[in-house]
Amino acid sequence: MTDPGTRPHTNSVVARWEGGWRCRVAAGGFDLVVDERETSGGTGTGPMPTEYLLAAMASCYTLALAWAAGKRGIDLPGLAVTATGTYDGPRFSRLQLTVTSDAPPDVLERLVEPALRVCYVSNTLAASPPIEVTVHSGPQP
C-alpha cells in the first residue's frame, strides 16, 4: 500500500512461462512461482494465480487496516485477514474478507470503511478497470 494521495504512476511485473502450467514472475526484485495443482495438470510447485489474487487482496487490506488503526492510535493485536473467493466458471463470483484480531469487534468495525478507501487491491477490483492486451514479437528483456 502506498500513500492514497500519490499521483498516477505505473507498476509492472513480468511472467515467464516455464512449461506446463508453471511460470515464474519477476515482481519488485522477487521471483514468484505460479503453478496449478497436480489434480489440474500442474506440478503443484507454487500457488495458483487465483491464490495470488486472494493473497494480494488479503495482504493489502491487512496493511490498510494497520494504517487506518495507526492514524487513529489504535492497536490491533493478532490482526489477520482471510480472503475467500467463490469460483463460478472462469471467474470469482464472490470475494469476501474476514478480519480477526484480539481488538474488540466495535473497534474493528470502525476501521472497515477507512481501510477500504485506501486498499489499492480492493478498490481496483471494485471499480474493475478495462484490461488492455498488446502483442509484441521478438525477444523480450
Side-chain angles (χ1 to χ4, degrees), residues 43-108:
T43 60
T45 58
M48 300 182 308
T50 51
E51 290 169 324
Y52 274 111
L53 175 67
L54 293 173
M57 200 169 111
S59 59
C60 191
Y61 194 65
T62 300
L63 296 175
L65 281 167
W67 176 85
K71 291 291 256 185
R72 292 159 178 78
I74 297 171
D75 186 35
L76 295 179
L79 176 63
V81 175
T82 302
T84 304
T86 302
Y87 288 101
D88 185 11
R91 65 183 293 274
F92 284 129
S93 61
R94 182 171 189 240
L95 295 169
Q96 180 180 7
L97 294 171
T98 304
V99 179
T100 59
S101 171
D102 295 333
D106 63 311
V107 170
L108 291 172

Side-chain angles (χ1 to χ4, degrees), residues 85-138:
T86 302
Y87 288 101
D88 185 11
R91 65 183 293 274
F92 284 129
S93 61
R94 182 171 189 240
L95 295 169
Q96 180 180 7
L97 294 171
T98 304
V99 179
T100 59
S101 171
D102 295 333
D106 63 311
V107 170
L108 291 172
E109 287 168 5
R110 288 194 326 256
L111 299 172
V112 167
E113 286 304 316
L116 277 175
R117 283 195 302 270
V118 298
C119 178
Y120 278 53
V121 175
S122 61
N123 280 317
T124 299
L125 292 171
S128 198
I131 298 172
E132 303 169 19
V133 178
T134 56
V135 177
H136 298 276
S137 61

